Amino acid sequence: MSGTVKKVADVAAKAGKAIDWDGLGKMLVSEEARKEFATLRRTFEDVNHQLQTKFSQEPQPIDWEYYKKGIGSKVVDMYKEAYESIEIPKYVDTVTPEYKPKFDALVIELKEAEKASLKESERIEKEIAEMKEMKKKISTMTADEYFAKHPELKQKFDDEIRNDYWGY
């Protein structure tokens, strides 16, 4: 049991080091939020300190002889026997193996979605740049320049003219 508590204490210490308290504090705008944040930080540090000191140490062994002198050996032996018969069950993680493959699949799916999103973002950025360029040039652009950028429209207009279709 104490090994588990020690692991929790170690994780809490690492988490505390990973938190950018100053960076988070700079994001706060109101004085009330800063006060609440300071309280949260102090509380976190207090709990983390307790985990590091109080709970990370192995308990002191019981001095049974000391108690035998003061109470008597029969009662102490009874408590010692009961104490030594206690078995603290070890935690067996049955959840992680069940959900880890699902989580890993989601991570892969998210990475693929991120790649697709970045590609789409690049395409949109390129399209925006083209639109900005077009906006700058539209008042002085000739039809030939426009059709050079959009050959499909030139083909459409040429087909309409060839087929004697004038839109009415």
Side-chain angles (χ1 to χ4, degrees):
M1 172 96 173
S2 61
T4 304
V5 173
K6 184 161 178 48
K7 287 179 188 174
V8 169
D10 291 344
V11 169
K14 288 176 187 173
K17 291 176 187 172
I19 296 172
D20 181 12
W21 292 104
D22 295 330
L24 289 170
K26 290 176 185 174
M27 291 186 218
L28 303 173
V29 290
S30 73
E31 193 59 35
E32 184 179 338
R34 286 188 192 99
K35 288 178 184 176
E36 289 292 324
F37 183 73
T39 303
L40 173 69
R41 184 175 183 176
R42 274 192 308 276
T43 304
F44 179 85
E45 287 171 353
D46 289 346
V47 169
N48 199 15
H49 178 72
Q50 285 183 359
L51 284 171
Q52 288 303 310
T53 57
K54 190 175 183 182
F55 296 112
S56 65
Q57 301 169 357
E58 292 290 326
Q60 293 291 329
I62 298 172
D63 184 5
W64 297 108
E65 293 304 317
Y66 170 80
Y67 290 106
K68 281 183 183 178
K69 291 176 192 170
I71 300 173
S73 66
K74 240 184 186 183
V75 175
V76 174
D77 287 341
M78 182 177 73
Y79 275 99
K80 183 178 179 184
E81 185 181 324
Y83 177 79
E84 290 174 351
S85 70
I86 294 174
E87 285 189 36
I88 299 171
K90 298 290 181 195
Y91 174 71
V92 178
D93 185 4
T94 59
V95 176
T96 302
E98 180 181 344
Y99 286 99
K100 182 141 178 55
K102 293 176 186 177
F103 180 79
D104 291 343
L106 284 174
V107 168
I108 291 169
E109 187 178 325
L110 286 172
K111 285 181 181 179
E112 289 171 359
E114 179 185 29
K115 286 179 187 175
S117 176
L118 289 172
K119 281 184 181 179
E120 183 64 12
S121 182
E122 282 179 23
R123 186 193 65 75
I124 290 171
E125 290 294 329
K126 185 177 175 185
E127 193 174 314
I128 289 171
E130 288 174 3
M131 291 291 180
K132 284 181 180 178
E133 182 183 333
M134 177 78 77
K135 183 178 176 184
K136 288 179 187 175
K137 295 180 179 180
I138 195 88
S139 61
T140 59
M141 186 180 280
T142 66
D144 288 335
E145 290 172 333
Y146 184 82
F147 286 141
K149 287 192 175 255
H150 302 284
E152 69 283 354
L153 286 177
K154 180 172 180 12
Q155 182 66 40
K156 179 182 173 194
F157 287 133
D158 287 347
D159 289 346
E160 288 177 358
I161 291 169
R162 210 177 358 269
N163 296 326
D164 204 26
Y165 177 72
W166 299 95
Y168 47 86

